[in-house]
Amino acid sequence: MIPAHARPRHDARRTAALGALVGLLAVLAVAPAARAQTLGEVMLVTAIMSDLHPVRSLPSGSLRAEGPGAVALAARLPDAAAWTDWEVYTATGLAALLEPGLVHNIETELMVAGYWRVSREASTVGSEHHVRHVFEGDGRVLLHVIRSADTLIWLLARGR
């Protein structure tokens, strides 16, 4: 006969083992759904990014600017008539602090696409710092970056 004080320990082991088994089954049941969700998210992000500029991607916290303000901003840049297919993007807050990484990312993607930077010009206009990058390859691409105190604006255009 088993002493009475041994029974609770045996029941506790059985309960712990049963709990571990239920936990393992729950993880195994959810794992395929988690992989499917991750795959779905990857496909969604890829589909969204394919609609954007073909040689660059947006950092988190950035927005594509459209409308008369974006057109006016592009028009005020020097030699704006030599460029077409303007894309204007803005970033504020923490995303605005990513300027070096953003420029590096765009340059890398342009180089992979066969474009090489042929010029870089920096200037200050009022309280804004402007940096103009021109790339050449199978045509020309302009990256114009405008940095103010709390805003980062970058414009991409294709040469005419």
Side-chain angles (χ1 to χ4, degrees):
M1 177 170 232
I2 299 175
H5 66 282
R7 285 188 191 142
R9 192 178 315 158
H10 181 67
D11 290 340
R13 285 184 194 163
R14 184 183 302 171
T15 305
L18 184 59
L21 181 60
V22 169
L24 179 61
L25 290 175
V27 169
L28 291 175
V30 174
R35 284 193 300 255
Q37 180 181 359
T38 302
L39 179 60
E41 289 171 353
V42 168
M43 292 175 62
L44 176 65
V45 169
T46 304
I48 291 170
M49 296 309 293
S50 68
D51 290 339
L52 301 174
H53 195 278
V55 291
R56 58 160 315 293
S57 59
L58 299 173
S60 178
S62 61
L63 301 172
R64 183 171 181 171
E66 297 179 345
V71 173
L73 184 64
R76 77 177 195 167
L77 298 180
D79 197 23
W83 305 94
T84 187
D85 296 336
W86 288 95
E87 293 184 30
V88 180
Y89 299 92
T90 64
T92 58
L94 291 175
L97 300 176
L98 298 175
E99 177 184 0
L102 168 74
V103 172
H104 176 74
N105 187 31
I106 294 171
E107 285 181 341
T108 301
E109 291 179 10
L110 286 169
M111 287 180 191
V112 168
Y115 291 88
W116 300 97
R117 185 172 62 186
V118 294
S119 69
R120 180 187 183 277
E121 302 170 14
S123 62
T124 302
V125 179
S127 64
E128 298 174 338
H129 182 68
H130 292 244
V131 181
R132 178 185 177 100
H133 305 266
V134 177
F135 299 86
E136 288 185 358
D138 186 26
R140 293 184 324 145
V141 175
L142 170 70
L143 167 63
H144 193 101
V145 181
I146 303 171
R147 179 80 165 100
S148 66
D150 61 348
T151 305
L152 177 66
I153 301 170
W154 67 99
L155 300 95
L156 287 168
R158 186 173 48 86
R160 290 188 187 265

